[in-house]
Amino acid sequence: KTLTVIDKACDFIRRDEVPDFDIETIDLEDKAVYDFISTGRTTGIFQLESAGMKDLCKRLGPDTLEDITAINALYRPGPLGSGMVDDFIEIKHGRKAMTFAFNELEPVLSDTYGIIVYQEQVMNIARIVAGYSLGQADMLRRAMGKKKIDVMAEHREIFRKGAQERGFDDKKAVDLFDLMAKFAEYGFNKSHAVAYAMIAYQTAFLKKYYKGAFFAALLSTEMSNTDKVKNLISDAKDFGLEILPPDVNESLWAFNVIGSKIRFGA
């Protein structure tokens, strides 16, 4: 549905404003878009429109695509209940120090402020510290995710021995493994989260710069949901858009955008 919204909005933009507009070429480092997301005015923005997500956007203040990726991975019962989200926010804003069990892990964990958020991070830690192969690391990821106690006990010893052989402190390595096991219960697939973050950013970009096209497209996909249409119309008005009744000369079958006005469909 969101891809349809983006497609419809782009059609409006190409029709009325920028003939060669291409959503795939927008600037992914536009500070104004991140500032906009950080206001929490994210109704209609993919994955970021619930009350909890709006609050998280305001508290975190994302300023990179990596931050939005992390928000997608962190906004779930496990991370929220464990305090991971609060730690992430505190470290990002410099109110808490970023730490690593071993300095070698900085390239793996720096994007998430030293916190293990993704399954891929668990796999890379196992490779760096304990010498796991890619296949072994994937088996570890699966065992952790499914909480297989007996398999985990085997891996714990394999991890400890591997770390020892590679010159890492024995106790720190075991503590790291236990930490990984804890975080792996909430681990999210990063490739999945990045795809979500990209779509979230694209919809935020459209809402920031092309409000009329964005709302006309969004309302067009929600026409059968009266409650949602009411909420979106209210939000559109908050952004200064005028909502017009159907008109035989200007209405399309669905919603249409006329300058800074939205015209109901016929």
Side-chain angles (χ1 to χ4, degrees):
K1 183 188 284 186
T2 304
L3 294 176
T4 300
V5 170
I6 291 171
D7 192 49
K8 284 179 181 291
C10 290
D11 284 344
F12 283 132
I13 294 165
R14 284 191 286 267
R15 184 195 72 184
D16 300 333
E17 299 184 65
V18 186
D20 60 348
F21 180 78
D22 183 358
I23 194 69
E24 298 298 332
T25 63
I26 62 174
D27 181 7
L28 298 178
E29 298 179 0
D30 189 331
K31 184 178 182 299
V33 176
Y34 292 107
D35 288 346
F36 174 62
I37 292 171
S38 300
T39 65
R41 300 181 73 188
T42 50
T43 296
I45 304 301
F46 183 65
Q47 292 290 305
L48 304 181
E49 59 179 331
S50 70
M53 269 295 202
K54 288 178 178 179
D55 179 62
L56 183 54
C57 286
K58 286 191 278 189
R59 288 172 61 210
L60 178 66
D63 48 25
T64 63
L65 200 63
E66 281 285 355
D67 284 346
I68 300 177
T69 302
I71 285 175
N72 275 302
L74 289 169
Y75 190 72
R76 290 174 299 122
L80 286 168
S82 71
M84 281 172 69
V85 177
D86 293 328
D87 287 344
F88 190 95
I89 292 169
E90 290 299 296
I91 296 168
K92 173 179 169 54
H93 292 298
R95 296 188 288 263
K96 193 172 180 180
M98 190 190 313
T99 58
F100 306 97
F102 302 111
N103 291 334
E104 289 82 353
L105 298 181
E106 186 172 352
V108 176
L109 298 175
S110 60
D111 285 342
T112 52
Y113 308 109
I115 294 171
I116 302 169
V117 175
Y118 309 116
Q119 293 173 352
E120 290 90 340
Q121 289 174 317
V122 168
M123 294 170 66
N124 277 321
I125 290 169
R127 292 177 64 205
I128 291 167
V129 176
Y132 275 56
S133 68
L134 279 170
Q136 288 172 319
D138 190 49
M139 288 171 67
L140 172 64
R141 175 195 64 79
R142 279 185 281 175
M144 285 183 168
K146 293 178 180 177
K147 302 177 189 174
K148 293 185 175 178
I149 306 300
D150 54 334
V151 181
M152 285 287 288
E154 289 176 23
H155 273 290
R156 194 170 190 264
E157 186 56 24
I158 294 168
F159 189 92
R160 186 190 67 77
K161 284 182 178 176
Q164 197 176 48
E165 288 169 8
R166 295 168 80 83
F168 290 100
D169 181 271
D170 211 51
K171 184 179 184 311
K172 277 189 177 180
V174 172
D175 288 345
L176 175 61
F177 182 89
D178 291 340
L179 186 68
M180 286 163 59
K182 175 188 168 190
F183 283 100
E185 293 176 23
Y186 316 129
F188 202 81
N189 183 297
K190 185 177 183 181
S191 55
H192 186 93
V194 169
Y196 273 20
M198 177 66 81
I199 297 172
Y201 183 89
Q202 288 177 343
T203 48
F205 182 94
L206 292 172
K207 188 173 183 180
K208 165 68 180 170
Y209 290 115
Y210 300 100
K211 295 175 181 60
F214 173 77
F215 276 106
L218 189 55
L219 283 161
S220 294
T221 64
E222 297 291 357
M223 289 193 307
S224 60
N225 188 332
T226 308
D227 289 339
K228 204 145 192 185
V229 166
K230 283 181 186 174
N231 290 335
L232 290 173
I233 285 175
S234 175
D235 193 49
K237 287 178 178 177
D238 286 344
F239 278 91
L241 294 171
E242 187 179 347
I243 310 298
L244 304 173
D247 179 275
V248 69
N249 293 314
E250 291 187 340
S251 288
L252 302 176
W253 174 77
F255 285 82
N256 193 14
V257 55
I258 313 291
S260 61
K261 301 173 184 179
I262 305 290
R263 177 73 75 179
F264 258 82

